[in-house]
Structure formats: structure tokens, C-alpha cells
Amino acid sequence: EDADKLRAFQERIDAEERIEPNDWMPEAYRRTLVRQISQHAHSEIIGMQPEGNWITRAPSLRRKAALLAKVQDECGHGLYLYAAAETLGVAREEMVDQLLAGKAKYSSIFNYPTLTWADIGAIGWLVDGAAIMNQIPLCRCSYGPYARAMIRVCKEESFHQRQGYEIMLTLCRGNAAQKEMAQDALNRWWWPCLMMFGPPDSASQHTDASTKWKIKRFTNDELRQKFIDATVPQAHYLGLTVPDPELRYDEASGHWQHGAIDWEEFKQVIAGNGPCNAQRMERRRQTEEDGAWVREAARAFAEKEKRRHRV
Ligand code: 3HC
């Protein structure tokens, strides 16, 4: 690509300018954004499965209504993100085909099962908590449509995180069995949530380019640490034990030092061998089939409308 154009582009990024769809951009910048935004969208849509699993079994009407609203929000986040990716010249059908063909990723975290109601609390508190850590900086991403999509997503995520934490608080103030459910959920979700932030910086192939182009404002390890520092005190407030025997507060740095993360498990999960990968993909393929008639009807109606207005 033209060296002058590349230099001018980097100067715009360094000057904190927003890049918009019709601006010139390096092909690699466009490609990495399509990769990240489409996979972010896939994550939101697949994430509806573990959460949706408890809508019919929520313990009260209030909990059911909040969970229903959260799952609908996740679907909306997916649609904003697919729309943001489309501004980069990729069609929605193409992105969905990549997901269904196993060529595109979605967040590792959604390949774990939701075994009890406490998991819905742990997902809101921990998974949406982690998502917020990751998505707040994305509101300042250099690519306009992605940054703007994140602003509304973050507002809705904070409701998701709040309702999840309140579920955990209710269980921890309940009877022994309820508190045990909350502890069991923390035990199963803690480490997969740390993996959600991505591989360690030393093993992250995109971080250098993404930080140079201000797509990423913090590295994977920096965001992971921010999440741990914010969440450990919340676990202590709940009266729960974080399942990491090496966790200890380091006065000098002001950070919680943690034990080793099992990156082999992470590799296995993103390679498709996690507890629920096959089930999530099977379900997503099935819903694609079940929804085909809706897409055909919408297309036929749009064609008819176009003809009607043409005459
Ligand atoms: N799950 C699956 N794949 C992951 C992953 C994870 N948790 N973390 C990293 N990877 C993949 C990357 O996609 C990349 O593979 P690719 O080249 O095929 O895309 C590879 O591992 C190397 O990782 P990198 O750190 O080099 O990749 P990135 O620079 O893209 O960083 C990321 C990974 C931090 C997840 C970044 O892509 C990102 O910030 N994405 C946007 C946020 C996002 O996708 N969040 C998903 C959470 S779901 C959610 O928010 C729903 C909530 O409402 C509950």
C-alpha cells in the first residue's frame, strides 16, 4: 500500500481521530476489525444459549423478566455489532456462514454449561463484569461505528452485571444450600472468565497491531488484572472464596496476584473441544434453518415493496 497513505493514516490514529467507513484505511486494519467485530457479534448471539437455558426455570416472575430482558439485549448487541461490521464491506450472511462453517470464533466463555440458577448470577456478575472491562475501552476504539455501538452496549451491560450480582447476593444471604450453590458457580466460572480476556500478551498475535491502531486501548493481561482487582473484593463482600489458592494481595503493586491459568484448557475450548461447543454449534445451525422462512418472507416483502414504489 502507498507509504504516504499509511503514514497519513497512522498520524490520524495518533491524533485520536475517528476512522469512518468512507475513509481510506489499510486493508489489514479493515480485516482485523471485521475479524474482531464479527466474532464479538457471534459471541453475543451464542451467549443467548447458556443464559436462555434458565428463562423457563427462573425462581420468580421478577427474575424471569430480568433474564428475558438480558437475553433479548444480547441479541440486540449482536445485531448492532453485525451492522458495525457491515460498514466495512462484509455481508451479514457471509459472517454467519463463517460461524456456521466453524471458520469464525466466538467467546470461549459460552462453551461452559449453566448447571444451576446460581450460574445465571455468576454469568451476570462475572461474565458481564468481564465484558464491561473489555467494552468500556472499546467505546474509544478508533473505528467510529464499533465505538458508537459499544456506548449503548455498555449501558445495557451494567444492568446485566447488576442483576447478576444481586442474584449472587440473594443466594449468599439465603440458606446454606443456596450459599453453596453460589460458591459452586464461582468455582466453575472464575477461571473461564479470566481466559475470556484472551491469551497472555506474550501469546497474543493481534495485540501489537490492535494497540498501534487504537482498536485495543489495553492489552489482554492489563484488562484481566483490572477485572481481578475489581472482582476479588466483591467475592469477599459476598462471603465467597475465590477458587485460587495462590491469590494474594500485593501491597507494593496494589494488585491481586493470581495462580497460573490453564492455557491448555483455553486452547482446547477455542479448538472446539470445550464442554458445550458441539451443542452450541448444533443449536445455532438448527436456529439458522428454523429461521430461513422468516428471512425469505422478509426478502420477498422487501422486493414487493420496491416494485410497488417503482410503479
Ligand atoms: N474466546 C475465543 N477466542 C479468543 C478469545 C476468547 N476468549 N480470546 C482470544 N481469542 C482468539 C482471538 O480471536 C484470536 O484468534 P483469531 O485470530 O482467529 O481471531 C486468537 O485467540 C489470539 O488472540 P488475540 O489476543 O491475539 O486476539 P485479539 O487481539 O482479537 O484479542 C479479544 C481477543 C480480547 C477477545 C478481542 O478480540 C476483543 O476485545 N474482542 C471484543 C470483545 C469480545 O469479543 N467479547 C466477547 C465477550 S461476549 C460478550 O461480551 C457478551 C456479554 O454481553 C455477556
Side-chain angles (χ1 to χ4, degrees):
E1 265 156 342
D2 184 328
D4 291 345
K5 277 188 174 176
L6 278 169
R7 197 175 21 260
F9 176 81
Q10 194 57 48
E11 278 162 13
R12 293 193 64 200
I13 296 285
D14 296 344
E16 292 292 336
E17 284 183 34
R18 274 276 156 82
I19 307 300
E20 296 299 337
N22 296 329
D23 293 349
W24 186 86
M25 61 184 84
E27 180 47 26
Y29 176 82
R30 192 192 69 79
R31 226 185 4 261
T32 206
L33 279 170
V34 168
R35 171 190 64 83
Q36 175 164 332
I37 301 172
S38 61
Q39 292 182 153
H40 195 162
H42 297 333
S43 306
E44 302 281 3
I45 299 299
I46 297 287
M48 292 167 73
Q49 291 187 37
E51 300 177 13
N53 182 31
W54 280 88
I55 289 176
T56 56
R57 295 181 281 167
S60 71
L61 183 59
R62 180 169 165 267
R63 293 293 190 207
K64 182 198 281 271
L67 182 54
L68 205 51
K70 176 175 186 330
V71 173
Q72 281 172 325
D73 284 350
E74 309 297 9
C75 183
H77 296 174
L79 299 187
Y80 304 149
L81 287 161
Y82 283 129
E86 284 174 328
T87 65
L88 289 158
V90 60
R92 172 121 16 137
E93 292 77 6
E94 190 184 335
M95 293 184 269
V96 172
D97 287 349
Q98 284 167 355
L99 172 68
L100 298 182
K103 292 202 186 78
K105 295 182 169 71
Y106 57 89
S107 189
S108 49
I109 193 70
F110 295 123
N111 288 308
Y112 292 84
T114 45
L115 303 176
T116 73
W117 172 252
D119 287 32
I120 297 302
I123 285 180
W125 170 39
L126 299 172
V127 174
D128 287 72
I132 290 172
M133 280 297 170
N134 168 286
Q135 291 169 164
I136 293 283
L138 281 173
C139 294
R140 292 185 297 119
C141 162
S142 57
Y143 187 58
Y146 194 22
R148 289 188 291 271
M150 281 296 111
I151 292 171
R152 170 143 176 208
V153 166
C154 287
K155 288 194 178 86
E156 292 172 343
E157 284 308 9
S158 54
F159 145 65
H160 299 170
Q161 204 264 357
R162 201 79 31 89
Q163 61 88 41
Y165 189 72
E166 202 237 345
I167 289 174
M168 295 303 274
L169 200 55
T170 307
L171 291 170
C172 290
R173 291 178 173 166
N175 60 35
Q178 288 172 317
K179 181 141 190 198
E180 177 39 41
M181 257 172 80
Q183 182 63 59
D184 165 57
L186 175 56
N187 294 345
R188 286 184 286 106
W189 288 94
W190 176 255
W191 293 102
C193 275
L194 298 193
M195 296 176 205
M196 192 174 152
F197 288 93
D201 295 349
S202 52
S204 164
Q205 81 232 41
H206 298 293
T207 289
D208 287 348
S210 291
T211 34
K212 185 183 80 174
W213 285 329
K214 296 188 181 173
I215 296 170
K216 256 184 192 178
R217 293 283 179 167
F218 298 96
T219 69
N220 299 357
D221 288 332
E222 285 169 346
L223 285 183
R224 197 178 348 262
Q225 187 61 60
K226 278 161 78 96
F227 171 74
I228 293 168
D229 291 344
T231 310
V232 169
Q234 292 173 342
H236 292 164
Y237 180 79
L238 289 170
L240 295 176
T241 307
V242 174
D244 174 1
E246 289 164 59
L247 190 71
R248 63 174 185 76
Y249 188 68
D250 174 45
E251 289 295 340
S253 65
H255 293 306
W256 284 89
Q257 307 301 341
H258 59 86
I261 295 174
D262 180 354
W263 292 113
E264 190 45 37
E265 175 180 330
F266 175 72
K267 256 204 290 263
Q268 284 306 317
V269 172
I270 63 173
N273 309 319
C276 299
N277 296 58
Q279 171 190 340
R280 300 288 183 242
M281 288 308 290
E282 174 47 37
R283 181 81 180 278
R284 184 60 191 80
R285 290 192 183 99
Q286 189 55 52
T287 49
E288 188 67 8
E289 233 175 85
D290 296 350
W293 70 273
V294 176
R295 292 191 298 277
E296 276 150 40
R299 250 195 293 275
F301 179 73
E303 282 307 312
K304 203 171 79 179
E305 283 296 280
K306 252 195 284 186
R307 279 195 303 278
R308 197 158 65 86
H309 288 302
R310 247 204 310 269
V311 293

